Amino acid sequence: MTLSKACTEMMLEFQPRNDKSGLPLLEFWFEGGKQEKFEKKIEGYLQSLFIEYPLIKEYHFKISSANTFPHSTGIASSASSMSALGLCLADFLSRAGEISNEPQAFLQEASRLSRLASGSACRSVYGGYVIWGYLPQLPGTSDEFGITVPFEVSPVFREMKDAILVVSSKEKEVSSRAGHSLMDGHPYAGKRYESAMQNLLELSGALMSGDLDKFIHITESEALNLHALMMTSDPSYFLIEPGTVNIVNRIRQFRKETSIPVCFTLDAGPNVHMLYLAKYEERIKEWIKDELIESCESGKWIDDGIGKGPYKLV
């Protein structure tokens, strides 16, 4: 589910370069300052595209990027930023006549370019509900790029809200990329992949039918399974914190006591995404203020919801 307010704003400037110009391939600025770690990562990504798009090596790129939310804390900042980069690059390549500017083809290539930078980013070039990964039961799905879900989503899920409860804005000690590498040879990985594919099918069915109970069950189970893999990897690591556990327990208790269909999910970090229907917004915000805010860092939380997807600023 692509969000509306937790987003990245990125500008890509480019000019020709050659051996005499002395210009580097990349200059990267993040939130007003030079960011060498990100610059090195993105430069390596651009270099990986040289064979497919040799035009890239002929240019100097200046990228200026900023987020509306803390980066590297487990709120999918790489999905947001790398999808923005994928869209910028697709626009550059389209202007150069390297790729089609027909909307569907353009977004498909932007999604594929985003995936090469960060897997989850391939979904964020679209709005609404998006799927990535080939499933023969769902037409148009691919391992190479994301697509908007190939079915009609029930009206129940069209006004979904996401309260992002910021337990910690500190940068994670273990990056998502490093975490992924720990799944190689993980004793539970095979079974995990099987269950994830089955859950994806069942979740798709729930989105079509409007089955809130199944949606809640799968969403929470997926989040906990993800973190269970981290805890049982070698070396093992914990990304959840006491505040995370407290919020999860309170969400479950609140759902039981009120019968309001609220649920949680977790990215690879301590912060909690609390999903709920827009019609309960006033009640949920009161509850956040009264009970959950004490588990958030300095009372931080992001009032977000389903979004229409990225758009070009200029």
Side-chain angles (χ1 to χ4, degrees):
M1 185 182 87
T2 301
L3 297 179
S4 175
K5 297 177 183 176
C7 59
T8 297
E9 182 175 315
M10 182 176 287
M11 179 168 65
L12 176 71
E13 301 173 79
F14 53 91
Q15 65 183 90
R17 71 179 184 122
N18 52 45
D19 294 338
K20 294 181 180 179
S21 71
L23 290 171
L25 174 65
L26 177 67
E27 180 183 347
F28 183 80
W29 293 77
F30 181 70
E31 298 184 347
K34 289 279 284 182
Q35 232 291 358
E36 291 185 4
K37 185 175 75 170
F38 290 167
E39 184 174 88
K40 185 176 180 180
K41 177 182 176 182
I42 295 173
E43 184 174 28
Y45 163 68
L46 291 175
Q47 290 170 345
S48 74
L49 299 175
F50 283 176
I51 294 176
E52 187 174 8
Y53 293 117
L55 178 70
I56 291 175
K57 71 173 69 174
E58 299 175 12
Y59 280 82
H60 163 74
F61 297 96
K62 179 182 178 181
I63 296 175
S64 304
S65 181
N67 291 344
T68 61
F69 60 98
H71 73 87
S72 305
T73 62
I75 315 181
S77 56
S78 62
S80 181
S81 60
M82 294 301 104
S83 61
L85 177 59
L87 285 159
C88 284
L89 280 175
D91 189 48
F92 164 77
L93 293 168
S94 175
R95 292 179 183 215
E98 295 282 326
I99 67 172
S100 171
N101 61 6
E102 186 275 322
Q104 183 175 351
F106 175 87
L107 288 175
Q108 181 174 300
E109 182 61 5
S111 177
R112 191 186 71 86
L113 290 169
S114 301
R115 177 186 63 80
L116 295 173
S118 175
S120 57
C122 72
R123 297 173 298 200
S124 298
V125 303
Y126 305 95
Y129 292 95
V130 189
I131 187 170
W132 167 40
Y134 173 69
L135 285 173
Q137 301 91 333
L138 296 176
T141 54
S142 172
D143 290 339
E144 296 295 314
F145 49 82
I147 62 169
T148 54
V149 291
F151 50 77
E152 187 76 15
V153 175
S154 167
V156 172
F157 294 106
R158 292 179 192 169
E159 298 294 329
M160 185 68 77
K161 298 284 292 181
D162 181 2
I164 307 172
L165 304 167
V166 182
V167 174
S168 174
S169 60
K170 293 186 298 184
E171 187 170 343
K172 296 180 297 183
E173 293 183 8
V174 179
S175 70
S176 296
R177 186 177 294 271
H180 293 160
S181 69
L182 290 173
M183 294 305 101
D184 296 334
H186 193 293
Y188 306 138
K191 186 63 179 177
R192 164 63 188 152
Y193 300 148
E194 290 177 19
S195 66
M197 298 296 272
Q198 184 60 37
N199 281 340
L200 186 54
L201 280 175
E202 293 187 15
L203 187 67
S204 297
L207 287 171
M208 284 186 270
S209 67
D211 189 335
L212 274 166
D213 289 339
K214 179 168 282 189
F215 174 86
I216 289 170
H217 172 74
I218 295 173
T219 298
E220 294 188 346
S221 175
E222 277 289 302
L224 296 176
N225 268 286
L226 169 69
H227 283 266
L229 284 178
M230 299 175 195
M231 295 177 194
T232 52
S233 65
D234 186 13
S236 62
Y237 59 104
F238 289 72
L239 291 180
I240 57 175
E241 297 188 5
T244 312
V245 177
N246 184 47
I247 290 172
V248 164
N249 287 333
R250 291 195 179 200
I251 288 173
R252 287 180 160 176
Q253 187 65 27
F254 179 82
R255 185 170 67 228
K256 181 179 180 180
E257 292 175 352
T258 65
S259 296
I260 293 176
V262 60
C263 68
F264 68 86
T265 188
L266 307 166
D267 203 322
N271 302 307
V272 180
H273 291 260
M274 184 169 66
L275 304 176
Y276 64 95
L277 306 181
K279 65 180 181 179
Y280 299 111
E281 183 172 1
E282 186 176 345
R283 177 70 178 89
I284 294 296
K285 286 183 175 179
E286 289 178 359
W287 176 50
I288 292 173
K289 182 179 178 181
D290 292 342
E291 292 191 34
L292 300 185
I293 206 76
E294 65 186 39
S295 295
C296 299
E297 179 187 81
S298 303
K300 293 178 187 174
W301 72 284
I302 301 170
D303 177 19
D304 213 333
I306 191 166
K308 295 180 180 179
Y311 56 92
K312 191 174 179 181
L313 295 170
V314 293

